[in-house]
Amino acid sequence: MFGSTVTVPNNSPHLRKSGSRPVVSDLGDELGNGVDEGVLHSVEMNDIWNASTTISTAAIMPSPTFLWRFKVLLFFIWGFICCKIGWDSVMRMSVELRDRFLYEAFLYYNPLLLVTMMVWLWGINLWVFSQSTVNYAKIFDLDQNHLTHREISKNGYGSQVWLKVCYLDDYCCSNKHDSLSLSLFSWGSVIGCISTSVLLYCAVAMILIFPFDIFYLSSRYYFLRTLWRIVLPLQAITFSDFFVADILTSMAKVFSDLERSACRMVHRQVATIAWFEADSVCGSHSVAIPLVLVLPYLFRLFQCLRQYKDMKEKTSLFNAFKYSTAVPVIFLSALKYHVLPEKWTNFYRPLWLLSSVLNSLYSFYWDVTRDWDLSGFTRIFKFNKPHLCTYLLYGRKWVYFWVIGSNLILRCTWTYKLSAHLRHNYLTVFTIAALEILRRFQWVFFRVENEWIKMSSKSNIQLSSTETSSEEAELLSNDHNV
């Protein structure tokens, strides 16, 4: 009785805890079917201890959502402190030095600031797509290692941190000499201070072309390959080529500011008022500025012509005409600095106004009817027919009214050039460039949504045709059997 082997049935409560999986032990091989109750008790106690330890550890560790909100809060606090320190320092300058310093800061850093803004907004676009039924990875033909909205937001955060560090470095460098005087920005001091922005741009370029498998090599290669296909459209045009080229047209001001910054450094016009002077080689009348501004539109124009050559669709020619209307707007605007004021007012200015109105209205029409496929606003009033709007990202009419109205207004922001005061105000120019990026940001939602609807419709048509052909084959085989 005592010391004998106890046989425990398989359904014994010693082997199975209520609501848990069976306890498996290797002791059965040595003891046969008998298992010591002490051993079972120790095994159960170990399981209970491990479970309680895991639960306590999970209770102590904060949730990922809390950590993300905490990081965002720290970022905004840090950004507010940096902006407060920079603003207080700038306000202690005299009016003349303050204007020069703000102009230099915007001139050298606003291109990367606008690029960083575009990265942040693109991350928001991807987050909205990930929360909806739109498969953006399939639309852009991305692999499984593509950047998600979290990784893109991290890149935007890193770029913003480096911008603030470089700006504060320039400010500290200026504070070290001549009591916040900007004479340090002369050519002799460029190596010490302005070179910070040069090194920042060089670092961005080096990261893009870095050949090793770090910094998201596949995504960088995809982006560079798309840029190469935009510059030289020798192959068939894909949706990603069109999409990136459209975004580049909204960032034409960024490229012109980059050209002006490089020109001022090369010609030793840093921190001078040469940008106001008519004979300045880097001023608003520079021939290089309209050439840089028109390049994205020419790339997009050549894409449309290449698509017409491949597809023979007349829609591509109408789209090419839309981008061609931007060419006279750019060159007529630059012509103001090369003709007499009377000739500009009497002849060239009316042509510039006419071409600007034509470009704005035609681009607005194309956005609504072609890129978004709202078809004369009819989709706005079809919400009572779900089968017509199955894949809509938004179910509210006011969203469409807002995006149509704001797109029309932002298409006409060129009217600020009618005022000579606003035309030469760099803060106004920067605001207009930022508004254009915001317009492109909301354009992305409906453009990608429309492309997904087209892809889904084609897939449904192909699927239905396949099912029909299989049914016909089955009917033919049944007739043959009969």
Side-chain angles (χ1 to χ4, degrees):
M1 180 174 168
F2 295 101
S4 61
T5 304
V6 180
T7 302
V8 183
N10 292 332
N11 58 355
S12 172
H14 296 289
L15 292 177
R16 186 186 297 271
K17 294 182 292 183
S18 177
S20 65
R21 68 178 187 271
V23 178
V24 180
S25 177
D26 295 334
L27 297 176
D29 296 337
E30 300 179 0
L31 301 178
N33 295 327
V35 180
D36 190 6
E37 295 183 359
V39 175
L40 291 175
H41 181 72
S42 62
V43 172
E44 292 180 358
M45 291 301 296
N46 290 333
D47 290 341
I48 295 174
W49 171 259
N50 293 333
S52 61
T53 304
T54 305
I55 294 173
S56 61
T57 304
I60 295 174
M61 291 296 294
S63 63
T65 304
F66 175 79
L67 290 176
W68 181 80
R69 292 177 179 176
F70 183 70
K71 291 179 182 178
V72 171
L73 179 61
L74 289 180
F75 173 75
F76 278 108
I77 293 175
W78 177 76
F80 175 78
I81 293 174
C82 292
C83 293
K84 180 65 175 177
I85 294 174
W87 181 256
D88 291 342
S89 303
V90 170
M91 293 305 293
R92 288 198 295 267
M93 299 178 181
S94 62
V95 177
E96 181 181 359
L97 292 179
R98 184 191 310 159
D99 291 340
R100 252 186 237 181
F101 181 78
L102 290 176
Y103 174 74
E104 293 294 332
F106 276 106
L107 181 63
Y108 294 107
Y109 291 106
N110 83 319
L112 273 183
L113 183 61
L114 293 174
V115 171
T116 303
M117 177 182 175
M118 177 62 75
V119 172
W120 276 105
L121 295 178
W122 175 241
I124 296 175
N125 289 133
L126 294 188
W127 177 77
V128 174
F129 294 145
S130 64
Q131 301 297 317
S132 65
T133 59
V134 176
N135 189 356
Y136 66 90
K138 184 178 180 180
I139 295 175
F140 294 104
D141 194 18
L142 302 176
D143 57 12
Q144 59 182 358
N145 297 323
H146 69 274
L147 297 181
T148 62
H149 63 276
R150 291 186 178 88
E151 294 167 334
I152 290 176
S153 299
K154 290 179 181 179
N155 292 330
Y157 170 77
S159 302
Q160 197 165 355
V161 168
W162 278 109
L163 280 173
K164 290 181 179 180
V165 169
C166 293
Y167 176 80
L168 290 177
D169 178 74
D170 283 349
Y171 165 71
C172 293
C173 186
S174 64
N175 197 20
K176 191 183 301 182
H177 300 83
D178 198 13
S179 181
L180 292 179
S181 174
L182 296 184
S183 60
L184 56 98
F185 285 128
S186 62
W187 179 253
S189 301
V190 167
I191 298 177
C193 295
I194 295 301
S195 58
T196 306
S197 59
V198 178
L199 293 177
L200 184 61
Y201 285 106
C202 292
V204 172
M206 290 298 295
I207 290 175
L208 284 177
I209 64 176
F210 205 60
F212 300 103
D213 193 8
I214 56 176
F215 299 121
Y216 313 108
L217 177 63
S218 61
S219 299
R220 288 189 287 111
Y221 175 76
Y222 178 87
F223 178 70
L224 293 176
R225 184 186 62 180
T226 303
L227 291 181
W228 177 257
R229 291 162 60 93
I230 291 173
V231 176
L232 294 175
L234 302 179
Q235 301 177 359
I237 308 300
T238 63
F239 177 76
S240 60
D241 300 336
F242 281 114
F243 187 82
V244 176
D246 275 326
I247 292 179
L248 293 181
T249 58
S250 295
M251 303 186 70
K253 184 63 174 62
V254 175
F255 304 138
S256 66
D257 287 342
L258 283 175
E259 186 277 332
R260 181 175 293 186
S261 301
C263 178
R264 288 170 63 83
M265 289 184 182
V266 172
H267 291 87
R268 305 183 182 185
Q269 293 183 355
V270 181
T272 64
I273 59 174
W275 58 289
F276 282 122
E277 300 173 0
D279 57 349
S280 171
V281 70
C282 300
S284 299
H285 76 294
S286 175
V287 179
I289 291 180
L291 293 178
V292 173
L293 287 173
V294 81
L295 278 179
Y297 296 94
L298 293 180
F299 292 151
R300 194 67 180 88
L301 173 64
F302 293 149
Q303 282 184 338
C304 296
L305 297 178
R306 175 56 193 264
Q307 189 182 27
Y308 175 75
K309 178 183 177 181
D310 296 337
M311 308 296 295
K312 302 301 181 181
E313 294 179 354
K314 293 184 179 180
T315 307
S316 301
L317 293 180
F318 293 129
N319 198 13
F321 175 72
K322 182 190 73 170
Y323 294 101
S324 65
T325 57
V327 177
V329 175
I330 295 173
F331 284 103
L332 287 175
S333 179
L335 195 62
K336 177 182 180 180
Y337 302 96
H338 301 275
V339 297
L340 296 175
E342 295 81 7
K343 195 171 184 179
W344 163 258
T345 304
N346 298 328
F347 182 74
Y348 290 108
R349 184 176 180 179
L351 291 179
W352 173 72
L353 287 173
L354 180 62
S355 60
S356 299
V357 171
L358 175 63
N359 174 258
S360 298
L361 295 181
Y362 192 80
S363 300
F364 168 74
Y365 165 79
W366 196 270
D367 288 340
V368 174
T369 60
R370 298 293 181 176
D371 289 344
W372 300 342
D373 196 18
L374 295 183
S375 303
F377 309 168
T378 54
R379 279 176 61 189
I380 301 177
F381 304 101
K382 292 182 179 179
F383 289 110
N384 56 347
K385 301 178 181 179
H387 64 281
L388 297 177
C389 303
T390 304
Y391 299 103
L392 285 180
L393 288 174
Y394 316 100
R396 300 179 183 274
K397 295 181 181 180
W398 69 267
V399 175
Y400 288 89
F401 286 117
W402 162 260
V403 72
I404 290 173
S406 61
N407 188 72
L408 178 60
I409 294 174
L410 295 177
R411 280 290 187 184
C412 299
T413 52
W414 54 269
T415 52
Y416 83 94
K417 294 183 179 180
L418 298 175
S419 172
H421 175 70
L422 296 178
R423 186 185 185 94
H424 295 287
N425 190 322
Y426 56 90
L427 293 177
T428 303
V429 175
F430 175 81
T431 303
I432 296 299
L435 289 176
E436 172 60 22
I437 291 179
L438 288 174
R439 186 195 68 81
R440 184 63 64 179
F441 160 72
Q442 68 179 13
W443 174 90
V444 167
F445 287 115
F446 300 92
R447 182 66 184 93
V448 175
E449 176 201 17
N450 185 34
E451 187 66 20
W452 176 246
I453 292 174
K454 292 180 180 178
M455 292 181 64
S456 301
S457 301
K458 291 180 181 178
S459 300
N460 293 333
I461 292 173
Q462 293 176 358
L463 182 61
S464 61
S465 62
T466 304
E467 292 177 352
T468 303
S469 61
S470 62
E471 291 177 358
E472 291 177 354
E474 185 178 357
L475 290 175
L476 290 175
S477 62
N478 292 333
D479 294 339
H480 179 73
N481 293 331
V482 171

